[in-house]
Every structure is written in structure tokens, then in C-alpha cells.
């Protein structure tokens, strides 16, 4: 009984913390396009008297024939995450955060698809877009990269999968952070020494993509450039977003730079890949992934963007 009571106290405290945040929010809406032509639409309506909010995804694209559909549970996780980040209090993440929120996700849309919809990109790609769309509707910060840059390679003997960091969005009083995992991403890259020890590849370089963050009073974070050289034949694939649609800026800030995928063949040829692509890699070929920059915040008055000591140079 004691444990159950304290579990309820934890959820009640989380609920109250979110209700306090809601009273400071304003109504807003946002439409975020994806590289594949779909869009995520969201409208946030605040009831100040009841200290509650409605998050309505009506207008979002219908169920897709590709795998960018997201199960409703993923959509709810993105909503929970966003509203938890608005709370300054040191509270554990729990279902109490959702109690003041009414979430409308029409059945049959790409965020609440009917079986047998393909959903593999929903957790890694679409969830990032939902998160950024919510921040756009709330008007609290610019977009971070709307992708996890899912990179895979393998053959009969080896298989590997990683997500690659990019720029985070700026906000009022802070610049974005460069080459960092943001929002719905929760993975870290394999150490280069381990990667090269376990797999027949070489990490030629992984560097900052200078000036790829959106300009503004507060700049968006820069993306990165990752170059992986193959030492034996393999199949490599990329599943990403942000190659046709930039991470948006806010309050007059500019969007971040688009990402890019390409292959530099050992014989000097360069092959561009779309936001999704697959290729056969031969020894000496290099797979290059340029990750998107984050959006900027505020209008740049003509001078350099305000420095932020937390943003790595």
C-alpha cells in the first residue's frame, strides 16, 4: 500500500508540474513536411482555466505505402517527451505528465495507422518530425535535425547499424549544439577503435560540418560529416530525412543546411543518394553522410550571432 501510494504521489506531482507549464503556453499550430511528400500537422489548444491542453494531429497525411508510418504509441511518446522537456522541475518521466493532455490522432493517418502498415521508420524518423512539429506549434525553439540518419551495412559475415548525430535547434537565449543526438534519439556511436576492430571498414573522418546551423540571433547547431571506407564488399543503406526539407528556424531565424548522402567510389566517381538509398560497396569505396544543421532563432541584427559557451566551436 505504501509503495502504491508513493507511485501515485509521483504521478500527481508530474501532472501538477505539467499543468503549471500549460498556463504559460499559447495556442499554436504547425505543419512539418517530410522528404517523401507527407506532412505532419498539429494544433495545440490551451485551456488556461482547466490548466489542460489538446494536441490535435488532424490534417496529418494518411497512412503511407512506405515505412514512415508511426504507431500511435510512438506518437504518444513524442508528445510525452516534449511536454516533459518544458518542465523545469526535477521530476521522473511518468504517465502523470500526460494526464492534463488530450491527444487526438485520427485513425488511419500516418501517426495512427491500421495494420498491416509498415512502421520501421516511424520510431526513428517520424518520431523526430513529430517532436519538432510540436516545438514549432508551441513556438519555444527551432527545429533540430528531423532525422536520426540510420546507416546500415553488412554481408554474410558482418552486420552493423548506427544512428548519426546532427545539429540541434536554437531557442530564446541559447544557441544550438553541434553534432549531438537530440530528442527521440537515445543511442551513441561505436568507438572508432571498436568499429574498425570488429568490422572490415575504416572511419576516414568524422568532423564538424561548419556553418551548417541556421543563422539568427542564436545560431542553430552544426551537423557533421561522417566518412566510412569499406575494405571488403558489402551492402550499405541509408534511411534518413532532412535531405529535401531543412530543419526550420523560428522567430526570424534561418533554417539549417540540408543533409546529404553520397558514395565516393575508389575510381573517382561520385554517386549521390536520396534520403533513402542502398548501394553495393566495393573495397576502397567511401560512404559519406552529411547530417543536417539545426534551425536558428531570432533575427540577426547584422552582427555575428550571440555566442553561447555551451556550443562547441
Amino acid at each position: 500500500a505504501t509503495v502504491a501510494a508513493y507511485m501515485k504521489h509521483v504521478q500527481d506531482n508530474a501532472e501538477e508540474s505539467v499543468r503549471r507549464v500549460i498556463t504559460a503556453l499559447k495556442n499554436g499550430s504547425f505543419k512539418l513536411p517530410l522528404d517523401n511528400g507527407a506532412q505532419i500537422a498539429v494544433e495545440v489548444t490551451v485551456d488556461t482555466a482547466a490548466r489542460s491542453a489538446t494536441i490535435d494531429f488532424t490534417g496529418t497525411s494518411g497512412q503511407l505505402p512506405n515505412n514512415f508510418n508511426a504507431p500511435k504509441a510512438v506518437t504518444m511518446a513524442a508528445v510525452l517527451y516534449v511536454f516533459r522537456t518544458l518542465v523545469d522541475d526535477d521530476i521522473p518521466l511518468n504517465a502523470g505528465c500526460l494526464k492534463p493532455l488530450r491527444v487526438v490522432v485520427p485513425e488511419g493517418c500516418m501517426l495512427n495507422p491500421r495494420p498491416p502498415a509498415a512502421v520501421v521508420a516511424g520510431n526513428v524518423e517520424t518520431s523526430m518530425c513529430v517532436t519538432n512539429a510540436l516545438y514549432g506549434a508551441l513556438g519555444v525553439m527551432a527545429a533540430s535535425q528531423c532525422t536520426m540518419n540510420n546507416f546500415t551495412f553488412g554481408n554474410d559475415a558482418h552486420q552493423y547499424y548506427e544512428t548519426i548525430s546532427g545539429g540541434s535547434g536554437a531557442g530564446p537565449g541559447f544557441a544550438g549544439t553541434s553534432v549531438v543526438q537530440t530528442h527521440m534519439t537515445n543511442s551513441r556511436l561505436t568507438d572508432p577503435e571498436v568499429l574498425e576492430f570488429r568490422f572490415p571498414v575504416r572511419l576516414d573522418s568524422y568532423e564538424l560540418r561548419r556553418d551548417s546551423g541556421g543563422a539568427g540571433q542564436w545560431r542553430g547547431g552544426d551537423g557533421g560529416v561522417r566518412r566510412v571506407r569499406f575494405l571488403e564488399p558489402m551492402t550499405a543503406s541509408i534511411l534518413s530525412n532532412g535531405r529535401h526539407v531543412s530543419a526550420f528556424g523560428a522567430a526570424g531565424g534561418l533554417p539549417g543546411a540540408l543533409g546529404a548522402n553520397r558514395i565516393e567510389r575508389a575510381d573517382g566517381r561520385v554517386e549521390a543518394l536520396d534520403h533513402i538509398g542502398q548501394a553495393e560497396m566495393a573495397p576502397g569505396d567511401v560512404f559519406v553522410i552529411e547530417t543536417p544543421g539545426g534551425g536558428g532563432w531570432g533575427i540577426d541584427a547584422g552582427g555575428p550571432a550571440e555566442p553561447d559557451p555551451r556550443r562547441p566551436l
Side-chain angles (χ1 to χ4, degrees):
T2 300
V3 172
Y6 274 93
M7 290 171 64
K8 184 177 184 303
H9 296 331
V10 168
Q11 291 197 21
D12 289 346
N13 181 58
E15 176 185 354
E16 176 60 25
S17 297
V18 172
R19 289 193 186 278
R20 287 197 299 267
V21 165
I22 288 174
T23 60
L25 299 177
K26 297 179 180 179
N27 295 344
S29 61
F30 200 84
K31 292 181 178 179
L32 192 150
L34 279 68
D35 283 0
N36 60 16
Q39 76 166 11
I40 293 171
V42 62
E43 182 174 8
V44 178
T45 305
V46 176
D47 185 337
T48 304
R51 298 195 304 162
S52 65
T54 298
I55 297 91
D56 190 349
F57 289 96
T58 300
T60 294
S61 293
Q63 187 167 321
L64 303 171
N66 54 47
N67 60 23
F68 279 78
N69 302 291
K72 186 178 179 181
V74 169
T75 304
M76 295 299 295
V79 173
L80 172 60
Y81 165 81
V82 167
F83 277 84
R84 170 62 186 89
T85 64
L86 301 178
V87 175
D88 285 334
D89 300 331
D90 186 14
I91 63 172
L93 183 66
N94 65 80
C97 297
L98 287 174
K99 289 182 179 180
L101 307 177
R102 175 175 170 262
V103 184
V104 179
V105 193
E107 185 179 358
C109 78
M110 64 177 290
L111 302 182
N112 186 14
R114 301 182 180 95
V119 295
V120 69
N123 189 42
V124 291
E125 292 297 296
T126 307
S127 66
M128 294 286 281
C129 297
V130 172
T131 300
N132 281 300
L134 283 167
Y135 283 126
L138 294 169
V140 296
M141 68 179 294
S144 303
Q145 64 165 359
C146 293
T147 179
M148 294 189 191
N149 306 291
N150 306 270
F151 179 50
T152 62
F153 59 77
N155 56 21
D156 290 342
H158 304 280
Q159 296 84 40
Y160 179 72
Y161 168 39
E162 68 182 21
T163 65
I164 306 173
S165 55
S168 73
F174 63 91
T177 302
S178 298
V179 198
V180 65
Q181 300 284 24
T182 58
H183 300 325
M184 305 308 288
T185 317
N186 62 357
S187 58
R188 59 175 293 179
L189 280 173
T190 304
D191 293 334
E193 296 84 358
V194 176
L195 177 69
E196 296 178 351
F197 176 77
R198 293 183 178 177
F199 302 95
V201 299
R202 185 167 67 236
L203 183 63
D204 278 5
S205 61
Y206 186 32
E207 61 187 63
L208 202 64
R209 190 182 173 204
R210 295 283 182 182
D211 298 323
S212 56
Q217 181 181 7
W218 300 94
R219 286 198 69 99
D222 290 334
V225 182
R226 190 164 176 86
R227 300 173 56 88
V228 179
R229 184 179 300 272
F230 287 77
L231 305 181
E232 66 179 54
M234 288 196 189
T235 302
S237 301
I238 185 72
L239 174 67
S240 61
N241 200 56
R243 273 55 178 171
H244 300 285
V245 181
S246 302
F248 62 83
L254 297 183
L258 291 169
N261 309 314
R262 67 178 180 273
I263 299 169
E264 297 176 357
R265 298 293 184 184
D267 61 9
R269 292 178 295 127
V270 177
E271 300 175 10
L273 295 177
D274 203 354
H275 70 108
I276 53 176
Q278 179 174 299
E280 298 302 318
M281 307 298 290
D285 292 345
V286 180
F287 205 110
V288 183
I289 301 165
E290 299 186 5
T291 64
W297 176 278
I299 298 173
D300 186 352
E306 293 289 339
D308 187 333
R310 295 172 297 175
R311 180 172 184 255
L313 300 176

